[in-house]
Amino acid sequence: MSEATFLPGTYSNQPQSGRISWRSPSNIALVKYWGKHGVQLPKNTSVSFTLSNCFTETTLHYKKKETAGYNFEVYLDGNREEGFEPKISQFFDRLQKYLPFLEQYSFRIETSNSFPHSSGIASSASGMSALALCLMDLERSWSGAEMTDDHFDKKASFLARLGSGSACRSIDGPLIVWGEHPEIDNSSDLFGTKYPFEVHSNFMNYRDTILLVDKGEKQVSSTVGHGLMKDHPYAEQRFEQANANIVRLIDVFKSGDLDAFIEIVESEALQLHAMMMTSLPYFILMKPNTLEIINRIWKYRNETGSKVCFTLDAGANVHVLYPANEAAEVSSFIESELAQFCKNGSFIHDLAGIGAQSL
Ligand code: DP6
């Protein structure tokens, strides 16, 4: 499938004004996307659990205009956020070819997150996918031809990717693959697709409790972070290893082997951070409490035989992953032992979910 698939047809019945709302979740990568090329194309395949409770809700108000160029304003929790506007402007530039109506309307983008803004939880995946879905919904209503759900989802994911790579994995759920892989049919660099093979019941409703270790601004933006992979001495090895980890996961998802799952997922998190520590410039994004939490998880696992494990994004927060049948025990472990290492004791319980929804 090529980018030409997503070029628009002709529009009819375009209204003067209206509004549309979508809710889109965040996602947590098990095999990480870290390194890109071209326009938002991944250097390796990644796979993620779509989340449920961490989401963005976006309402897009639109009104026909006669002037040329884009016209939009962004509001977060009711307050104008001019700081977001350059990113949205760049997003619109990338989308224009696929959604020519962007220049015909002025937009008011009202957005809010279910998680605190300064939590260090990346809002780009949920935020960009929610906006992409609103725009895609307009295209569906205005296009003369009938649109299949499959095309809708693929193009929404394709558009979301142009805003933020990981956003393309937030349209659907619970397990999404992004990046062409020889062993995964229909996988694509252009959009995320549902993981197509058998998944053992051990992975149903998998839990992810996000421990908010550091609530500050990100030390390294993901754009800068991906850029660090360009001249990285270990880059090729890393991309190969990610693609090999995907192959290992195919067996693991089928057999339900949680020990192998833990090994792959924790290794992926540490590899991501190893890449940052060995790039130029170099960064340490983990905090002392991140390490303390990791050690406590390992100790708990050794002592109890639990299948709890951790993963990390490009920051200090820890995602604690565990099977649904351990929800009660691991929640009390988190409350009694791990919460003390979080800023203000804060964490968010989440679980794998089915993707975005229209509101
Ligand atoms: C570490 O999707 O935020 O979370 O495409 O530049 O917006 P951009 O990057 P982004 O990168 C996410 C990186 C990651 C790993 C992952 O989600 O796969």
Side-chain angles (χ1 to χ4, degrees):
M1 201 175 263
S2 78
E3 293 174 12
T5 316
F6 302 115
L7 291 170
T10 46
Y11 298 137
S12 55
N13 307 321
Q14 283 179 261
Q16 282 302 312
S17 64
R19 62 185 231 178
I20 183 94
S21 303
W22 276 80
R23 170 190 292 182
S24 189
S26 187
N27 66 73
I28 181 66
L30 304 169
V31 172
K32 308 288 179 183
Y33 148 58
W34 199 242
K36 58 180 166 181
H37 65 106
V39 184
Q40 295 288 97
L41 298 166
K43 288 291 244 174
N44 62 265
T45 308
S46 57
V47 62
S48 52
F49 274 131
T50 307
L51 297 180
S52 305
N53 301 333
C54 290
F55 57 78
T56 298
E57 284 183 356
T58 296
T59 296
L60 183 67
H61 299 259
Y62 51 94
K63 201 165 166 196
K64 258 258 166 76
K65 68 178 178 63
E66 302 303 329
T67 50
Y70 307 129
N71 188 312
F72 65 86
E73 289 179 349
V74 183
Y75 293 79
L76 176 67
D77 299 327
N79 301 315
R80 177 93 184 263
E81 274 289 347
E82 290 183 60
F84 289 177
E85 291 171 8
K87 186 129 202 229
I88 303 290
S89 197
Q90 182 192 44
F91 186 34
F92 276 22
D93 277 337
R94 290 176 182 164
L95 296 184
Q96 171 63 21
K97 190 169 145 194
Y98 305 100
L99 300 174
F101 63 79
L102 287 178
E103 280 193 308
Q104 300 166 1
Y105 286 85
S106 51
F107 297 98
R108 181 185 164 99
I109 303 164
E110 290 176 356
T111 186
S112 62
N113 298 322
S114 65
F115 45 89
H117 178 53
S118 59
S119 60
I121 296 181
S123 56
S124 67
S126 54
M128 289 297 184
S129 55
L131 180 54
L133 282 156
C134 289
L135 293 168
M136 193 55 213
D137 210 338
L138 299 186
E139 162 146 302
R140 177 168 57 187
S141 333
W142 302 344
S143 72
E146 197 53 34
M147 188 182 292
T148 62
D149 288 347
D150 183 60
H151 181 80
F152 179 90
D153 285 354
K154 281 195 175 120
K155 184 162 175 181
S157 174
F158 172 85
L159 300 174
R161 189 199 97 233
L162 296 173
S164 178
S166 56
C168 80
R169 300 188 311 238
S170 278
I171 306 298
D172 211 339
L175 263 179
I176 301 294
V177 176
W178 170 41
E180 197 174 326
H181 195 291
E183 305 210 16
I184 303 183
D185 295 345
N186 301 321
S187 56
S188 170
D189 284 354
L190 299 179
F191 47 82
T193 48
K194 244 178 144 80
Y195 176 76
F197 305 124
E198 192 181 336
V199 180
H200 192 278
S201 61
N202 282 352
F203 297 105
M204 296 301 146
N205 302 316
Y206 220 72
R207 305 295 153 143
D208 177 7
T209 300
I210 305 152
L211 306 182
L212 307 177
V213 172
D214 187 34
K215 294 190 174 180
E217 275 287 301
K218 274 190 168 182
Q219 216 187 103
V220 184
S221 75
S222 49
T223 309
V224 171
H226 289 287
L228 295 174
M229 291 304 279
K230 285 229 162 73
D231 296 311
H232 198 292
Y234 308 137
E236 288 313 314
Q237 280 282 303
R238 161 64 201 151
F239 302 142
E240 275 173 32
Q241 209 151 17
N243 288 333
N245 278 339
I246 296 268
V247 176
R248 283 190 69 197
L249 269 181
I250 294 174
D251 282 341
V252 166
F253 283 138
K254 189 171 174 195
S255 66
D257 181 346
L258 291 172
D259 292 320
F261 177 78
I262 289 169
E263 187 175 283
I264 296 164
V265 167
E266 292 190 344
S267 163
E268 274 289 321
L270 295 176
Q271 280 184 40
L272 170 70
H273 282 255
M275 288 302 106
M276 280 178 271
M277 289 189 219
T278 49
S279 57
L280 277 176
Y282 40 78
F283 297 94
I284 299 182
L285 301 185
M286 289 186 267
K287 298 281 182 208
N289 281 351
T290 312
L291 291 175
E292 190 60 51
I293 289 166
I294 291 173
N295 282 312
R296 298 267 176 151
I297 289 173
W298 284 346
K299 185 161 174 275
Y300 177 80
R301 207 160 68 210
N302 272 334
E303 286 171 0
T304 63
S306 162
K307 304 300 180 195
V308 64
C309 72
F310 72 86
T311 188
L312 307 166
D313 268 343
N317 292 339
V318 181
H319 288 250
V320 184
L321 298 173
Y322 47 103
N325 66 3
E326 287 192 33
E329 297 93 316
V330 177
S331 293
S332 36
F333 161 62
I334 289 169
E335 275 155 40
S336 64
E337 274 211 50
L338 303 184
Q340 59 181 314
F341 302 110
C342 302
K343 276 265 150 68
N344 307 322
S346 49
F347 56 83
I348 300 172
H349 284 309
D350 212 334
L351 75 164
I354 54 167
Q357 65 189 90
S358 160
L359 296 174

